[in-house]
Amino acid sequence: MQIAFWILIFLATFFIMEFNAWFTHKYIMHGFLWNLHKDHHHKDHDSWFERNDAFFIFYAIVSMTCFYLWSYEAIWYTLPIGLGILVYGAAYFIVHDIFIHQRFKWLRNIDNKYARGLRRAHKIHHKHLGKHKGENFGMLIVPFKYFK
């Protein structure tokens, strides 16, 4: 029975992370921490890295804390939570940094309805260079209108 709870917690955490990404992007990155995120919309440096890359640190710390609690405190449910956060972070990196922004020259030839919808929604998001008037703050779930 515990494995069923483990899988349920892992999947719930993964899907909750999409909401967390949306919320963080809309209200924190386009809010009081815009100074860290703005170089993602309007590159103002020559570095491959962006100040925006610092945002992964928060969720990495949360995920590592879950692994610690599982490993050293024997709190079993923190393992699937930590893994859900980790897997969402990997999916975000693959979709956002590799597939959409092509920070690595991989996954360039993916062309299906979902992939085109993701790219369209993200392109519309980046149409706004400022912190206001943004749209499409999520990553994996985007409005249906971008799939037409």
Side-chain angles (χ1 to χ4, degrees), residues 32-45:
F32 67 94
L33 288 180
W34 172 250
N35 62 332
L36 288 177
H37 184 62
K38 69 181 173 183
D39 71 335
H40 181 64
H41 285 265
H42 188 279
K43 193 165 181 165
D44 61 356
H45 54 80

Side-chain angles (χ1 to χ4, degrees), residues 60-147:
I61 290 170
V62 173
S63 182
M64 289 186 295
T65 300
C66 288
F67 295 141
Y68 171 83
L69 292 171
W70 168 72
S71 182
Y72 294 102
E73 304 297 330
I75 304 172
W76 72 268
Y77 56 85
T78 60
L79 177 61
I81 292 171
L83 286 172
I85 295 168
L86 174 68
V87 171
Y88 184 85
Y92 191 98
F93 177 74
I94 291 166
V95 170
H96 183 261
D97 291 328
I98 296 176
F99 175 67
I100 292 174
H101 286 290
Q102 294 290 305
R103 288 178 79 176
F104 296 96
K105 305 307 177 198
W106 308 330
L107 307 178
R108 293 179 135 189
N109 298 324
I110 295 176
D111 186 30
N112 59 54
K113 193 172 185 176
Y114 180 68
R116 287 189 300 272
L118 282 175
R119 282 189 170 138
R120 279 187 204 115
H122 205 75
K123 185 175 182 176
I124 294 299
H125 175 74
H126 278 272
K127 182 174 95 172
H128 306 286
L129 297 178
K131 83 185 240 185
H132 302 294
K133 298 183 182 177
E135 53 187 296
N136 302 320
F137 293 97
M139 177 51 51
L140 300 176
I141 301 172
V142 297
F144 287 115
K145 66 182 181 180
Y146 297 104
F147 298 109

